């Protein structure tokens, strides 16, 4: 049988995609109330599915009790108009559907009837999740929870799941799971603009590939304070070396850390700083039992901490394997006093969280500061817990940036970068190969190198995070299934 394809107008999410909050999305919908957006959403979804289906393939749409269910009904109607097999199971009361969804149900009824019970099995190739959309603010329970479980079971049997706007059960603004139940999708087609919660937090394991269809409403005015960032955007933002470049122009970076037993952390950061383009990289150890030569990277320079801090520097990084001993607290105080951009990571963050005096000194710094916490470190700095941080990663990053007067990289799946003025970016690169000891140290070194080369802190943080994730993506593309942090370094050379 000849395959039949229909071109899709949807695009993969990228740094070019506008981002809207749920409230902003609803405002756009209200301003286009006469545009029959539900029918447009159904047509867009039908095109997306048809471009991935053979003529004989069937689709089963799960329609919930609101307008997301109306989108599912409109999808089935559009697929049938294309001559495709499309069925609907309505989970909810037809009489209680909102006006637009009720109209979508009437349109579907013109060509067939809906089922109200989930089948024990289906021959559908794709299942469309139209249970709940971006407006959900409560856990999924009762028969809707049963529909989520049914969808998971069907997916385990080989069916694929497409979520409309957002996988049901996910907070579209934060990426948090609302309660215990949420749909796991192979792909998400979101309408009008991107939603931040699709790209950070627990949602990243549930969304699959994220696609966007603007429903013909482009160009949109999106949230100016929130954007996505990816490898392509990093390539446009990263520093360019002139032909007359020399090591003095590429900047001098100090790496402060490496207490006894944790020397490798400082070495990884220093090696990454060199690979990311710094002209010279010096390590100041926070232990007496430290090496004076790195046979893997002999280009590194080793200094005693006190003279290192008196040298001409363009940027510094502190905290990688620094420990919490007596040297560490003094090293932190000295780094805070530096009149150059400083990246604070790992043990430096923990010491800040423990000392009101050090925090006060930090908040009075004149030179730029960059904090790079994982959720547990962010929680200590905010006086909360990691669960609360992950429940709203964007808010946590912004609270840190505002409270500490610093640029913040909140690490994790969908790293969030925030500036003190409220600008926020969500990184799209990276994968679970980064979930291993030492990768955070490499990120710290990359940020330091970009600062030393003259990038503004906002750009340095965004580019570093994108490069860091892109290194892991390059490894994954070659079939690497397990990696150690040092595996990122050769890949970094190809990017930087």
């Amino acid at each position: 049988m000849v395959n039949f394809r229909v071109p899709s107008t949807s695009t993969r999410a990228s740094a070019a995609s506008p981002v809207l909050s749920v409230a902003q999305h609803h405002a756009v919908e209200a301003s286009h109330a006469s545009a029959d957006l539900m029918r447009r959403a159904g047509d867009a979804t039908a095109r997306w599915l048809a471009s991935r289906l053979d003529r004989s393939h069937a689709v089963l749409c799960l329609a919930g009790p609101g307008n997301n269910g109306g989108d599912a009904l409109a999808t089935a109607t559009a697929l049938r108009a294309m001559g495709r097999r499309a069925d609907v199971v309505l989970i909810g009361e037809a009489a209680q559907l909102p006006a637009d969804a009720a109209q979508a149900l009437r349109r579907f009824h013109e060509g067939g009837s809906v089922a109200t019970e989930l089948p024990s099995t289906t021959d559908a190739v794709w299942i469309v999740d139209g249970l709940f959309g971006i407006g959900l603010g409560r856990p999924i329970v009762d028969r809707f929870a049963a529909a989520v479980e049914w969808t998971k079971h069907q997916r385990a049997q080989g069916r694929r799941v497409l979520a409309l706007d957002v996988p049901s059960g996910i907070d579209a603004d934060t990426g948090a799971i609302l309660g215990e139940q949420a749909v796991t999708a192979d792909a998400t087609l979101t309408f009008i603009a991107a939603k931040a919660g699709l790209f950070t937090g627990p949602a990243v394991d549930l969304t699959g590939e994220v696609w966007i269809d603007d429903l013909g409403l482009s160009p949109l005015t999106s949230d100016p304070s929130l954007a996505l960032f990816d490898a392509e955007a990093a390539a446009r933002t990263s520093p360019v070396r002139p032909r007359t470049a020399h090591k003095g122009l590429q900047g001098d970076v100090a790496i402060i850390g490496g207490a006894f037993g944790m020397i490798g952390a400082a070495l990884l950061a220093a090696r990454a700083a060199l690979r990311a383009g710094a002209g010279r990289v010096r390590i100041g150890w926070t232990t007496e039992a430290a090496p004076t030569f790195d046979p893997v990277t002999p280009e590194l320079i080793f200094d005693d901490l006190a003279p290192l801090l008196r040298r001409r520097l363009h940027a510094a990084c502190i905290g990688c394997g620094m420990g919490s001993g007596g040297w560490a607290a003094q090293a932190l105080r000295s780094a805070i006093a530096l009149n150059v951009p400083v990246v604070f990571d790992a043990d430096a963050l923990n010491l800040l969280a423990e000392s009101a005096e050090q925090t006060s000194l930090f908040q009075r710094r004149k030179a730029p500061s960059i904090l790079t916490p994982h959720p547990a470190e962010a929680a200590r700095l905010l006086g909360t817990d990691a669960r609360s941080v992950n429940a709203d990663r964007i808010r946590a990053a912004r609270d840190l940036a505002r409270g500490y007067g610093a640029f913040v990289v909140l690490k994790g799946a969908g790293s969030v970068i925030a500036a003190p003025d409220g600008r926020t970016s969500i990184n799209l690169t990276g994968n679970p190969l980064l979930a291993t000891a030492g990768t955070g140290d490499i990120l710290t070194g990359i940020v330091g190198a970009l600062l030393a080369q003259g990038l503004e802190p906002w750009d340095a943080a965004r580019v570093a995070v994108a490069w860091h994730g892109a290194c892991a993506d390059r490894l994954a593309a070659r079939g690497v299934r397990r990696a150690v942090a040092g595996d990122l370094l050769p890949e970094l050379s190809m990017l930087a």
Side-chain angles (χ1 to χ4, degrees):
M1 178 173 291
V2 177
N3 289 349
F4 180 73
R5 296 286 188 263
V6 175
S8 172
T9 58
S10 307
T11 58
R12 284 287 299 273
S14 71
S17 305
V19 182
L20 293 177
S21 68
V22 171
Q24 290 164 339
H25 176 100
H26 288 323
V28 171
E29 287 183 318
S31 68
H32 293 83
S34 63
D36 202 353
L37 295 180
M38 189 168 290
R39 186 188 290 234
R40 293 192 190 191
D43 290 345
T45 308
R47 288 193 300 268
W48 191 95
L49 287 164
S51 68
R52 292 157 176 80
L53 290 170
D54 289 347
R55 186 76 181 188
S56 61
H57 287 164
V59 174
L60 178 64
C61 299
L62 302 184
N67 283 331
N68 198 240
D71 292 340
L73 285 159
T75 296
T77 300
L79 284 169
R80 286 188 171 184
M82 294 177 180
R84 302 307 184 94
R85 294 173 57 205
D87 296 309
V88 174
V89 177
L90 179 62
I91 313 293
E93 301 299 330
Q96 297 178 4
L97 289 172
D100 287 349
Q103 176 62 28
L105 177 60
R106 287 191 290 271
R107 288 172 181 164
F108 182 79
H109 273 155
E110 293 173 3
S113 59
V114 301
T116 56
E117 298 291 335
L118 292 164
S120 58
T121 187
T122 177
D123 65 348
V125 173
W126 280 90
I127 295 171
V128 174
D129 164 29
L131 294 173
F132 294 98
I134 62 175
L136 185 67
R138 63 186 186 280
I140 295 177
V141 296
D142 301 331
R143 55 183 164 173
F144 304 109
V148 172
E149 284 299 317
W150 181 88
T151 302
K152 291 179 180 179
H153 175 73
Q154 296 302 321
R155 187 170 181 268
Q157 300 303 308
R159 281 84 185 176
R160 307 196 75 194
V161 176
L162 172 66
L164 300 184
D165 247 346
V166 62
S168 295
I170 293 295
D171 186 307
D173 280 336
T174 68
I177 298 174
L178 298 165
E180 303 296 327
Q181 293 283 358
V183 166
T184 300
D186 296 282
T188 298
L189 178 58
T190 196
F191 303 122
I192 300 178
K195 318 302 184 299
L198 299 174
F199 306 99
T200 191
V204 298
D205 278 331
L206 306 179
T207 58
E209 293 182 349
V210 179
W211 293 75
I212 302 169
D213 197 297
D214 63 19
L215 304 186
L217 303 186
S218 182
L220 285 171
T221 301
S222 62
D223 185 345
S225 68
L226 183 60
L228 306 178
F229 201 77
D230 57 18
E232 287 74 19
R236 296 191 296 269
T237 312
S238 59
V240 177
R241 290 190 181 192
R243 293 186 64 184
T244 54
H246 56 79
K247 63 184 179 184
L249 288 177
Q250 293 304 113
D252 287 45
V253 180
I255 305 294
I256 303 167
F260 181 75
M262 296 180 288
I263 286 171
L267 284 173
L268 285 170
R271 292 170 183 171
L274 274 179
R275 294 283 186 177
R280 282 180 290 249
V281 180
R282 302 173 184 272
I283 299 181
W285 302 107
T286 52
T287 180
E288 293 180 347
T292 58
F293 172 70
D294 179 10
V296 175
T297 313
E299 298 86 353
L300 292 175
I301 303 168
F302 297 82
D303 260 339
D304 290 333
L305 187 55
L308 170 60
L309 295 173
R310 291 194 296 269
R311 291 186 180 275
R312 185 197 70 158
L313 298 171
H314 297 95
C317 306
I318 183 168
C320 297
M322 184 173 70
S324 57
W327 282 25
Q330 182 55 48
L332 177 59
R333 182 183 294 271
S334 299
I336 290 173
L338 289 173
N339 191 32
V340 297
V342 179
V343 185
F344 296 82
D345 185 36
D347 292 323
L349 301 175
N350 294 328
L351 287 173
L352 271 179
E354 294 168 1
S355 171
E357 179 188 2
Q358 296 272 42
T359 296
S360 178
L361 291 172
F362 178 92
Q363 291 170 330
R364 295 199 298 270
R365 266 179 56 81
K366 301 300 183 184
S369 304
I370 298 90
L371 306 177
T372 58
H374 56 57
E377 291 162 344
R380 296 184 195 110
L381 291 166
L382 290 169
T384 183
D385 54 71
R387 183 183 181 89
S388 298
V389 168
N390 280 326
D392 193 340
R393 289 167 51 79
I394 293 171
R395 183 181 64 184
R398 285 174 168 172
D399 286 349
L400 275 173
R402 182 173 56 253
Y404 283 82
F407 296 84
V408 171
V409 175
L410 178 55
K411 295 183 286 195
S415 291
V416 179
I417 303 95
D421 62 8
R423 285 174 294 167
T424 309
S425 181
I426 302 174
N427 181 59
L428 298 183
T429 67
N431 61 66
L433 290 177
L434 295 173
T436 188
T439 58
D441 303 312
I442 286 178
L443 174 61
T444 296
I446 300 172
V447 179
L450 292 173
L451 290 168
Q453 292 170 75
L455 279 191
E456 293 297 318
W458 172 243
D459 288 335
R462 292 186 301 158
V463 171
V465 175
W467 277 0
H468 187 244
C471 289
D473 290 340
R474 289 172 61 89
L475 290 172
R478 294 207 308 274
V480 175
R481 302 291 298 276
R482 300 290 183 270
V484 296
D487 294 336
L488 302 176
L489 295 173
E491 307 303 324
L492 179 59
S493 297
M494 302 299 291
L495 296 169

